[in-house]
Amino acid sequence: QSVLTQPPSASGTPGQRVTISCSGGSSNIGSNTVHWYHHVPGTAPKLLIYSNNQRPSGAPGRFSGSKSGTSASLVIRGLQSGDEADYYCAAWDDNLNGWVFGGGTKLTVL
Amino acid sequence: QITLKEAGPTLLKPTQTLTLTCTFSGFSLSTSGMGVGWIRQPPGKSLEWLAVIYWDDNKQYSPSLNNRLTLTKDTSKNQVVLKITNVDPVDTATYYCALRRNSGNDWRGWLDPWGQGTLVTVSS
C-alpha cells in the first residue's frame, strides 16, 4: 500500500480537462510540497510539477498543480493522446525522512 | 545537460548482494546542496524510495529495508553505488537513480531527472 492515495485510473477525450487527486497526511503533504511525475513504462519518469505548482522548463503549460491541506491535484487541460501514461504524486515524509509516492494513476485518452 | 544511468546485474539469486552503480554527468556531487536518490518499482507496482546521499556524505535510508542498504559516492568518477544485501524475490524491480534538486523555498527538494532504470530479477 502506497503512503499517498491516488485513483488507480482516469480517462478523458481529446481536448477535455482531467484532474488527478493525491491524498496524504500531516507528515507528508500536510507539511511538505508535492511533486508530480509522468511515466511511460520502460522509460524514465519525468517531472511535470514540483513544489506544488511549479513547472520545470519543458513541461507543457497544459499541466498545473495545486495543494490544499493534506491533498493535492494535478490538472491536465486540452487532453492529448500523447498524455496517456501513469502519473505519480510524491512528497517528502517527515516520519520516513524520505520521499513517499502515490500508487499511480493510469490515464487513458478515449 | 544532466544525465544519470544505472548499471548492475540483471539476475541474482536469493541471499546474494545487489550492487548498483549510478553514473552521472552534468553536475558534481561535491557541490553544496546536491544529492542522488535511488527509487525502485516492482513489476506492476508503484514507486518506492530507497535512499539518498548528499554532497556532504550525509545519507538517509528507507526504514522498510531494515539496514540492508549501503550508499557510497565517488565524486572523482561521478558515481554513486547502492548495495542491497540478502536479496529476495520481492526485491525484483526496476531500479532508478535520480538527481535531488532543491530551492530556497523547498529545501527538502524533489527528484529530477531520473535515469532510464535497470531491471533486476531475483530468482533461484
Side-chain angles (χ1 to χ4, degrees), chain A residues 44 46 57, chain B residues 1-5 23-28 34 78 99 101 112-116:
Chain A
K46 292 186 76 172
S57 60
Chain B
Q1 182 191 6
I2 292 174
T3 64
L4 303 97
K5 188 170 184 178
T23 302
F24 54 85
S25 64
F27 68 95
S28 172
M34 288 296 181
N78 280 350
L99 170 64
R101 297 180 188 262
D112 174 63
W114 297 42
Q116 65 191 24

Side-chain angles (χ1 to χ4, degrees), chain A residues 2 32-33 35 37 39 43-45 47 50-51 88 92 94 96-99 101-103, chain B residues 39 41 45-47 49 52 54 60 62-63 96 100 106 108-112 114-116:
Chain A
S2 299
N32 295 294
T33 59
H35 321 294
Y37 295 91
H39 186 213
T43 68
L47 183 71
Y50 68 96
S51 300
Y88 293 91
W92 182 269
D94 292 335
L96 180 68
N97 264 328
W99 288 277
F101 291 88
Chain B
I39 310 95
Q41 184 175 36
K45 295 189 177 182
S46 181
L47 300 163
W49 171 76
V52 61
Y54 296 101
Q60 284 163 322
S62 171
Y96 299 95
R100 175 267 195 175
D106 188 352
R108 298 292 194 187
W110 57 94
L111 298 164
D112 174 63
W114 297 42
Q116 65 191 24

